[in-house]
Amino acid sequence: MEQAYNPQFETKDLINEVRQGRELAKQLQIHLNAPTSAHGTREYLAHKIILSFDKILNMLNSGTSIVTGYESFASGREVRVTESPNSFSASPHSEDSDQDFRSSDSKSDASRKRKAMPRWTKRVKIQPGTGIEGSLDDKYNWRKYGQKDILGAKYPRGYYRCTHRHAQGCLATKQVQKSDNDPTLFEITYRGRHTCSDQSSNPTAPPPERSNPSRSLTANVRDHLQNQQQNSQEVLLNFKTDLKVITEDLDCHDQINVPTSFYFPSTSNNNINNTSENYSLSHFYMLGDNNFGSNTASPSFVSPTTSGSNYNLSVSPSNLSNFGGNFQALQASDNELNEMISAATSAANSPTVGLNYQFGGVEFNSNFTFDNSGFFS
DNA sequence: GGGATTTGACCCAA
DNA sequence: TTGGGTCAAATCCC
């Protein structure tokens, strides 16, 4: 069983705090658009917002799972990545079930080893009709070893282990569970890091995985996805070139959660007006570089395919820095806020939301701080 | 024939 | 006792 999320706060307090933070962000938005607004006022508002975020984090910090960001491979697929550094919920055989791994260690040792396995969860949304539901290609070779009907779940859970488990002793496993409410949404829980030679170039980052050509996506579909991702990254690079973020006045940069990069999804109604001094951002999503520290699980941020956001943030690049990358909060509607809180406080339904908080479709990770000096360089 | 998948049985922590 | 996780034989597929 998952370790229960233990909210040491009242949900209403958290909601109030988030709302207060949003109000502050809206005020900041107004000041950002007002040419006569004093710089000190903007800084004060930004500082208050950060304090509000810190307070929210303190409220949420009792959880066990850490949302490390989003990962996107293509339009139509959205991936939320969460990580739980230590697995306290593993079932007895989740990692040492094979005879090969039972023989050397005692069961208690194996259990401790298993509990130390890193565990993280992706939520992958796929487009219906693309034919990738069964594969959910994630670039490692997986072998299915079981399937179980889970109590209360509409769909069975599939159990996969690394194909190289026997040959190379790779202990990585994953579980694939289709969402009850949204059949296009899959929750993939990974356990253990790949130690096989088939791993990607960054063996310490949990999510990177390699395809299994024999039963995964067809080459055409995969190429299509990769091309789309590449196109997105080109957009990103263009934006990074055009946007210069000044951080010299940012006095709280050491605690600000900043994504690795920003991404404008080409399919949404974002409006990037490069011809004017300001950038009008109706959808300002974040895309990661997968190059964070070895202890983070692919802290990439992706574009959830939300649309119709009620808030259009118009900022100049220099002002952008004063908001420290958290301006996504400006786009959160009341409904979104309620959903965020609901998700963060409903451990029974979503055991991986421990430190999860989300603004306008982007989740932030309390353990994930980023020194933005040199960011966008 | 060999590797992958299916599925009923088994194990064991809660 | 229950239910999640895994085993392993049977079956499928290339």
Side-chain angles (χ1 to χ4, degrees), chain A residues 66-73 77-83 120-125 179 185-190 207 297-304 339-340 343-344 346 349-354 356-359 361-364:
Chain A
I66 302 164
V67 173
T68 52
Y70 279 90
E71 185 172 293
S72 176
F73 302 107
R77 297 181 73 194
E78 61 182 88
V79 178
R80 184 168 58 188
V81 181
T82 66
E83 178 169 17
W120 63 99
T121 300
K122 282 182 180 179
R123 289 200 181 111
V124 180
K125 189 172 180 64
S179 169
L185 185 65
F186 289 81
E187 184 165 299
I188 306 176
T189 300
Y190 295 89
S298 184
S300 49
F301 296 78
V302 98
S303 70
E339 287 175 5
M340 296 167 204
S346 60
N349 295 329
S350 181
T352 61
V353 296
N356 172 352
Y357 67 112
Q358 183 179 33
F359 291 100
V362 173
E363 288 181 326
F364 296 88

Side-chain angles (χ1 to χ4, degrees), chain A residues 17-299:
Chain A
E17 193 61 36
V18 172
R19 285 193 170 136
Q20 182 181 336
R22 188 164 71 92
E23 286 306 311
L24 288 166
K26 289 169 73 174
Q27 290 181 35
L28 177 60
Q29 182 186 24
I30 294 169
H31 281 272
L32 286 171
N33 288 325
T36 57
S37 172
H39 179 262
T41 303
R42 296 195 297 259
E43 274 204 310
Y44 172 76
L45 288 170
H47 181 65
K48 292 280 287 181
I49 292 167
I50 292 165
L51 288 177
S52 186
F53 283 177
D54 286 343
K55 194 171 177 181
I56 294 165
L57 284 174
N58 287 335
M59 292 177 175
L60 293 170
N61 259 351
S62 58
T64 60
S65 296
I66 302 164
V67 173
T68 52
Y70 279 90
E71 185 172 293
S72 176
F73 302 107
S75 64
R77 297 181 73 194
E78 61 182 88
V79 178
R80 184 168 58 188
V81 181
T82 66
E83 178 169 17
S84 180
N86 295 305
S87 171
F88 297 95
S89 59
S91 132
H93 293 301
S94 61
E95 289 299 335
D96 61 343
S97 55
D98 280 357
Q99 305 291 341
D100 309 6
F101 305 102
R102 281 176 179 165
S103 56
S104 58
D105 294 329
S106 68
K107 288 197 173 183
S108 60
D109 287 345
S111 178
R112 281 194 296 270
K113 181 180 178 182
R114 185 171 52 246
K115 285 184 178 180
M117 286 288 182
R119 181 172 171 271
W120 63 99
T121 300
K122 282 182 180 179
R123 289 200 181 111
V124 180
K125 189 172 180 64
I126 53 92
Q127 279 185 327
T130 57
I132 63 174
E133 287 89 342
S135 58
L136 293 168
D137 175 39
D138 54 15
K139 303 185 179 167
Y140 268 108
N141 292 318
W142 296 102
R143 175 171 178 165
K144 190 173 186 177
Y145 65 87
Q147 178 170 299
K148 282 281 285 191
D149 288 325
I150 301 303
L151 197 72
K154 201 166 163 183
Y155 302 101
R157 177 180 298 166
Y159 297 88
Y160 299 81
R161 67 163 66 103
C162 178
T163 301
H164 307 296
R165 166 168 282 223
H166 288 287
Q168 300 181 34
C170 181
L171 297 177
T173 64
K174 75 171 180 181
Q175 301 171 2
V176 177
Q177 175 80 56
K178 188 190 282 189
S179 169
D180 287 348
N181 300 325
D182 184 0
T184 66
L185 185 65
F186 289 81
E187 184 165 299
I188 306 176
T189 300
Y190 295 89
R191 282 186 188 159
R193 299 176 192 277
H194 283 272
T195 57
C196 59
S197 60
D198 196 25
Q199 64 196 8
S200 68
S201 58
N202 185 6
T204 56
E209 290 166 12
R210 189 165 298 168
S211 63
N212 178 4
S214 65
R215 60 186 176 85
S216 296
L217 290 172
T218 64
N220 286 341
V221 172
R222 188 180 299 114
D223 288 346
H224 175 69
L225 296 177
Q226 288 172 345
N227 286 338
Q228 290 201 349
Q229 182 184 8
Q230 185 175 355
N231 291 338
S232 299
Q233 287 175 339
E234 286 174 1
V235 173
L236 163 67
L237 288 173
N238 290 337
F239 178 62
K240 286 168 76 174
T241 302
D242 293 339
L243 175 63
K244 180 177 180 62
V245 175
I246 302 169
T247 59
E248 58 191 3
D249 292 332
L250 197 61
D251 54 358
C252 299
H253 57 86
D254 58 335
Q255 283 298 318
I256 289 173
N257 295 294
V258 180
T260 57
S261 50
F262 301 93
Y263 167 49
F264 295 94
S266 57
T267 55
S268 63
N269 62 336
N270 44 298
N271 175 20
I272 305 171
N273 183 8
N274 285 333
T275 59
S276 75
E277 192 64 32
N278 291 346
Y279 291 25
S280 179
L281 313 178
S282 63
H283 289 277
F284 198 55
Y285 298 131
M286 306 169 184
L287 180 68
D289 292 326
N290 286 333
N291 281 328
F292 278 107
S294 59
N295 292 329
T296 59
S298 184

